[in-house]
Amino acid sequence: MATAEKTEYRLENLTCASCAMKFENNVKNLPAIEDAQVNFGASKLSFNGSATVEELEAAGAFDGIKVVPLQVRRVEKKIPFFKRKENLVSLFSLVFLLIGSAVSFSYTETHPVAIAFFAVAIVVGGASIFKTGLKNLVRFEFDMKTLMTIAVIGAAIIGEWREGAVVVFLFAVSEALEAYSMNKARQSIRQLMDIAPPTAIVKRGEALVELATEDIIVGDILIVKPGQKIAMDGTVLTGSSTVNQAAITGESIPVLKEMGDGVFAGTLNEEGALEVKVTKLVGDTTIAKIIHLVEDAQAEKAPSQKFVDQFAKYYTPTIIVLAFLIAIVPPLFGGDWSTWIYQGLAVLVVGCPCALVVSTPVAIVTAIGNAARQGVLIKGGVHLEETGRLDAIAFDKTGTLTKGYPEVTNFLLSEGVEKAQLLGAVAAVEEMSQHPLAKAVTNYARENGATMSVATNFQSVTGKGVYADVEGKRVYVGSLSWAEELSSLPSDMLQQAAILQREGKSVMAIVMDTDFGGLLAVADPVREESQIVLQKLKDIGIRHTVMLTGDHQTTAEAIAEKLGVEDVRAGLMPEDKLTAIKQLSAQYGRVAMVGDGINDAPALAASSVGIAMGGAGTDAALETADIALMADDLEKLPYTMKLSRKTLRIIKENIMFALGLKIVALLLIIPGWLTLWIAIFADMGATLLVVLNSLRLLRVHK
């Protein structure tokens, strides 16, 4: 039987983690649904099978969940704080509670008027709680609202009306604050979704039309004016402008875009007008992929979350049994029934697993969303946690620790030779060459203002170099051994060449007719930030860094010496890098591999965490790596490590807060000090501490 196609919807009014779990189970129980998953962090539902929107909303009716098609762009109305339903409920509940309390202080707590106001406060603040709680009770589903319902009804039965009203009010406040905090945590996703504009000006024939991005096809030409956001991924056809790519890659400096350069949807065109040829549909753009991967990452359960979920499964029934025993056992041995039933109800309230259930997902959601805004794509809570526990990091050399393209590093002249003239002649020859180092020479000549002459009779000599005629002179550019055949090289120049070669540079000699002109040294230069990044990683706590490269040992060692990397493994094929990662894992434990996501695929897959550089430019990097640094920016690595370690620390703190406050509250049973309002304060306090503590992750920056 063929697997049914996966369908996805966005969800509105999804207020709590336990509500998400219940909604997921309700959807799974629909007759035509094979499997379903609710992503609480991203407020998203995905399922295999078929169901109408009405059926899905009926499954979420207990929490007023609304189901919205994924493709529909909805502009969320900003509801003022005091107009939000949960806040109004809390406010009215408080008003009736205060009036009831005033009456009870003037007369007695059991005065009919006081009881009436307390009852109204309970109904106003807890109507939705009781409605769900009673339904759950009938089905023997014991979640937070079920426990609250039992506790409040029990309080009313034993005459503790004021306590019941206080519990309902505090619980309503905690629900309102939790909804506010989760909305804050989800803002990172909403901000990503709002990056790309919903419409664009498209050139069709001679006409300019404004179209929704869903109606734009591959091959369409976008007209992007200065100050406008680019609506689709594409390549520049005409025009030149700087484009701010911070929203996608996290780069703070705008990038110059000219004809043939790629641009991303959601980036800001700053100066000039551009015509952009669309290369991807709206659902396939880089920003669309990032949003999809971030949402999937938030849905994936981290190891600590799996532990908490498993723990909560046994924790709730244990609390119910404990509460029942506290309410029943002491009175059987002469205790007061009313007192111990009250204590049992307090245990039910304090035992609500809300804070524990939310302790991990809210931290993961916040951290992954924050990272995405900074240009770091973390593809799941498991990778976030693993990064926080890394002991060693292996780096590919080319394009990771180095820039990945050759540059002229040294230009040494023979005595009496004019620099501009020689450089212009050399550039004229190299302009005609297809050798990888030729572009480095011509770029260097342009940067240094050399006037390029016209070269004729160009020839390439295999294994030696190139030559051509420039302004009546034959100019040779090639290896030292070839230059020694053509001319006499000064001994000091040969010594300089040997030093440059030991530094890992490729040295070329220049001969004009039979006269030695000078030396050019070319190398793949080390990134300016590499040394700082490696030092930051050591400061963070990385025990070992290693360079893995296919380059020559001499070149690799020269670069490693500059960077302070002691472990260098050179001349490696992809399979050798894989072996090296396995050896490092055996020696150090958790090891990350940082590479380009394509050539280093086996090593990236074998490492504890595979980290790809420049993920925004390659689909392969987005798909294969566990973490993608969207810009070609190594400095994002220490930020990612810092964020991951802080997330681990906050998750541990959250679990301690969630359990610690409850243990302290439960210990108050011994002297008989545990009251319902202390119990709800312990539960609400733990939940708020957990959520607010997790929101600290929004403040982690590069």
Side-chain angles (χ1 to χ4, degrees), residues 9 339 575 582:
Y9 285 97
T339 301
E575 56 270 26
K582 288 179 178 176

Side-chain angles (χ1 to χ4, degrees), residues 549-575:
T549 178
D551 214 336
H552 192 271
Q553 185 76 31
T554 307
T555 305
E557 284 178 356
I559 288 169
E561 191 177 343
K562 277 185 189 174
L563 295 173
V565 177
E566 293 171 6
D567 191 350
V568 183
R569 306 184 189 190
L572 303 180
M573 299 295 285
E575 56 270 26

Side-chain angles (χ1 to χ4, degrees), residues 271-592:
E271 295 169 346
L274 296 174
E275 287 192 7
V276 175
K277 185 177 181 180
V278 175
T279 55
K280 292 178 181 176
L281 296 173
V282 67
D284 300 324
T285 60
T286 302
I287 186 63
K289 283 183 179 174
I290 291 170
I291 292 167
H292 179 70
L293 289 168
V294 169
E295 289 181 334
D296 285 354
Q298 292 182 336
E300 184 188 326
K301 289 187 176 178
S304 56
Q305 190 175 344
K306 288 176 182 173
F307 161 75
V308 166
D309 288 350
Q310 197 69 18
F311 182 79
K313 195 159 67 173
Y314 299 104
Y315 168 83
T316 305
T318 303
I319 286 291
I320 292 168
V321 171
L322 180 63
F324 180 75
L325 292 174
I326 287 170
I328 298 294
V329 174
L332 293 177
F333 293 92
D336 179 59
W337 280 96
S338 179
T339 301
W340 286 103
I341 288 172
Y342 179 86
Q343 292 288 301
L345 295 174
V347 169
L348 273 185
V349 174
V350 85
C352 287
C354 182
L356 190 62
V357 169
V358 87
S359 61
T360 301
V362 72
I364 298 290
V365 166
T366 307
I368 289 175
N370 182 18
R373 289 208 316 278
Q374 298 288 331
V376 179
L377 184 60
I378 302 172
K379 291 168 65 177
V382 61
H383 308 307
L384 185 69
E385 288 197 11
E386 282 291 291
T387 304
R389 297 189 179 103
L390 287 174
D391 298 300
I393 300 181
F395 292 89
D396 175 43
K397 178 183 76 71
T398 308
T400 301
L401 295 172
T402 65
K403 292 183 180 178
Y405 53 85
E407 283 183 355
V408 173
T409 57
N410 304 83
F411 184 37
L412 307 177
L413 300 172
S414 184
E415 197 175 332
V417 176
E418 189 187 337
K419 180 179 178 179
Q421 184 184 2
L422 182 65
L423 191 54
V426 171
V429 177
E430 293 289 7
E431 182 77 25
M432 305 186 76
S433 173
Q434 297 299 313
H435 194 277
L437 300 183
K439 189 177 179 183
V441 176
T442 54
N443 285 343
Y444 180 76
R446 288 191 187 96
E447 287 166 10
N448 284 271
T451 305
M452 241 181 280
S453 307
V454 177
T456 57
N457 302 322
F458 174 83
Q459 290 291 324
S460 175
V461 183
T462 305
K464 293 186 175 182
V466 293
Y467 67 87
D469 293 333
V470 181
E471 294 182 348
K473 288 189 176 183
R474 179 148 291 184
V475 180
Y476 301 86
V477 185
S479 67
L480 287 170
S481 56
W482 189 37
E484 285 181 304
E485 293 173 19
L486 300 168
S487 178
S488 173
L489 271 66
S491 58
D492 63 324
M493 282 292 182
L494 288 172
Q495 287 172 2
Q496 288 284 345
I499 292 167
L500 292 169
Q501 284 174 328
R502 280 198 297 274
E503 291 174 359
K505 297 173 182 177
S506 300
V507 180
M508 296 179 283
I510 305 158
V511 176
M512 300 182 75
D513 287 335
T514 56
D515 298 325
F516 173 71
L519 297 175
L520 269 169
V522 179
D524 176 8
V526 171
R527 290 175 185 266
E528 291 84 354
E529 69 271 21
S530 291
Q531 192 170 5
I532 298 165
V533 166
L534 288 167
Q535 186 56 51
K536 281 183 179 177
L537 291 173
K538 283 180 184 175
D539 294 342
I540 288 168
I542 296 299
R543 289 166 52 206
H544 188 74
T545 53
V546 56
M547 181 197 293
L548 306 179
T549 178
D551 214 336
H552 192 271
Q553 185 76 31
T554 307
T555 305
E557 284 178 356
I559 288 169
E561 191 177 343
K562 277 185 189 174
L563 295 173
V565 177
E566 293 171 6
D567 191 350
V568 183
R569 306 184 189 190
L572 303 180
M573 299 295 285
E575 56 270 26
D576 299 326
K577 289 185 180 181
L578 173 62
T579 305
I581 290 292
K582 288 179 178 176
Q583 288 171 353
L584 288 164
S585 298
Q587 189 175 354
Y588 292 100
R590 292 180 176 87
V591 178

Side-chain angles (χ1 to χ4, degrees), residues 584-617:
L584 288 164
S585 298
Q587 189 175 354
Y588 292 100
R590 292 180 176 87
V591 178
M593 174 70 192
V594 186
D596 59 14
I598 304 166
N599 300 335
D600 301 310
L604 285 167
S607 60
S608 306
V609 182
I611 302 170
M613 295 282 290

Side-chain angles (χ1 to χ4, degrees), residues 66-83:
K66 296 293 177 191
V67 177
V68 182
L70 202 63
Q71 299 76 16
V72 175
R73 279 179 181 255
R74 289 175 71 96
V75 179
E76 287 192 30
K77 291 180 182 176
K78 289 197 173 181
I79 305 169
F81 184 80
F82 284 107
K83 287 189 178 179

